[in-house]
Amino acid sequence: MGKNKLKKFADMATYRCALQYPREVLLAEGFPYQGVWKDEFFHRDGEITLELGCGKGEYTVALAKGNPGRNYIGVDIKGARMWSGARQVEEQQIPNAAFLRTEIENIDKFFAPGEVDEIWITFPDPQMQKTRKRLTSTRFLKMYGKFLRPGGVINLKTDSPFLFEYTKRLAELNGFEIVMITDDLYGSGMADPVSSIKTYYESQWLSRGKKIKLISMRPGSFENLQEPPSDDIERDDYRAYPRHTPGLESF
């Protein structure tokens, strides 16, 4: 492991905004801020927005700076990437941003019912071969339903035609309210100051001429969710930039 990564890990351990909870720590100790994020961590009111798969944290930081009345939490497993956003929050003393380093598979153990108001899923791996690993699958939606407030919105921003179509079908099959949908965010003129924030990966996709897609949905219920058929959805015809580098830390 390079010295630069070791330094980043050391920095992360000192950042108040960076909470690091691998599964073994979570199971052994629990999570102290579940249900009390506003009072005990942020020490301020304001609705809570999660960004799942936050990568370098650009979206979380930009959202927090642009919307000081809300609280934002970026979630990812890769600490060396998350360090960039966490460092900005520490150095600029941004009071309404935090980073949670953990597996998204355990996300429901960090928040109490109704504690989260909105979710952003930004450029996840489309997982074309593994339905249960898609972050908009019924498996994950059931987790989100444990802590997303009634009427809360889930936003997917993606370059993947496959994941966009799959999520659209899932929303329609389960009777979700579609708040916003476009298969060409910037070409449609529908981009606003929030949706037009660009992540590191998004800039890569745009440089390759890929269209950015967005679907914002409001689930009416998380009960009896059904998976849509997806075998007939055309697979993406390009290779994504690698998101998991061989030898990179598992936590």
Side-chain angles (χ1 to χ4, degrees):
M1 184 180 295
K3 291 183 179 179
N4 191 41
K5 280 183 184 173
L6 290 175
K7 182 182 184 305
K8 289 180 178 180
F9 294 155
D11 288 346
M12 288 281 285
T14 69
Y15 292 165
R16 181 189 176 275
C17 72
L19 304 170
Q20 305 188 73
Y21 278 80
R23 186 173 185 275
E24 58 272 19
V25 174
L26 180 63
L27 294 179
E29 303 176 6
F31 184 69
Y33 299 115
Q34 185 177 28
V36 292
W37 276 92
K38 293 179 186 178
D39 292 337
E40 301 296 329
F41 182 83
F42 287 112
H43 302 292
R44 64 199 301 276
D45 289 327
E47 296 184 339
I48 293 176
T49 293
L50 299 188
E51 184 197 357
L52 302 181
C54 67
K56 294 176 179 290
E58 311 99 305
Y59 222 84
T60 295
V61 171
L63 286 170
K65 293 172 72 172
N67 302 275
R70 297 177 69 100
N71 298 310
Y72 295 89
I73 304 168
V75 182
D76 210 303
I77 190 60
K78 299 298 185 182
R81 297 175 186 172
M82 188 183 291
W83 170 86
S84 179
R87 180 174 59 86
Q88 289 184 64
V89 171
E90 292 290 312
E91 292 181 350
Q92 299 176 30
Q93 298 184 6
I94 302 171
N96 60 326
F99 289 94
L100 177 60
R101 187 181 177 203
T102 194
E103 300 91 346
I104 294 178
E105 287 82 355
N106 294 315
I107 194 64
D108 57 326
K109 298 177 177 63
F110 292 91
F111 302 94
E115 192 168 22
V116 172
D117 298 275
E118 183 180 29
I119 295 172
W120 276 92
I121 305 171
T122 50
F123 299 93
D125 187 323
Q127 297 289 351
M128 290 181 284
Q129 305 304 322
K130 300 177 181 179
T131 301
R132 68 187 306 273
K133 289 193 173 184
R134 296 172 199 156
L135 293 187
T136 55
S137 69
T138 57
R139 175 197 176 200
F140 281 98
L141 286 171
K142 289 173 183 176
M143 291 184 194
Y144 309 153
K146 295 179 180 180
F147 56 79
L148 187 67
R149 71 166 174 80
V153 173
I154 299 172
N155 308 282
L156 170 69
K157 196 176 185 186
T158 181
D159 62 292
S160 167
F162 173 85
L163 186 60
F164 176 76
E165 176 61 24
Y166 164 81
T167 304
K168 176 176 175 287
R169 290 187 183 188
L170 184 144
E172 293 172 345
L173 178 63
N174 290 284
F176 293 177
E177 176 188 349
I178 303 298
V179 179
M180 178 179 177
I181 186 168
T182 175
D183 63 359
D184 184 5
L185 179 62
Y186 300 110
S188 68
M190 298 174 71
D192 58 24
V194 171
S195 63
S196 61
I197 296 170
K198 296 180 178 63
T199 69
Y200 170 76
Y201 286 115
E202 180 173 358
S203 297
Q204 289 185 323
W205 311 141
L206 288 169
S207 71
R208 300 174 75 183
K210 301 302 177 184
K211 293 181 180 179
I212 304 304
K213 300 143 194 1
L214 175 68
I215 178 169
S216 299
M217 53 192 183
R218 182 177 286 116
S221 172
F222 291 94
E223 299 294 328
N224 303 313
L225 294 174
Q226 300 179 61
E227 280 288 345
S230 59
D231 289 344
D232 63 326
I233 301 176
E234 184 176 354
R235 266 45 182 174
D236 299 339
D237 61 355
Y238 62 93
R239 294 180 61 85
Y241 287 98
R243 296 167 190 249
H244 303 289
T245 304
L248 196 61
E249 79 286 0
S250 61
F251 196 87

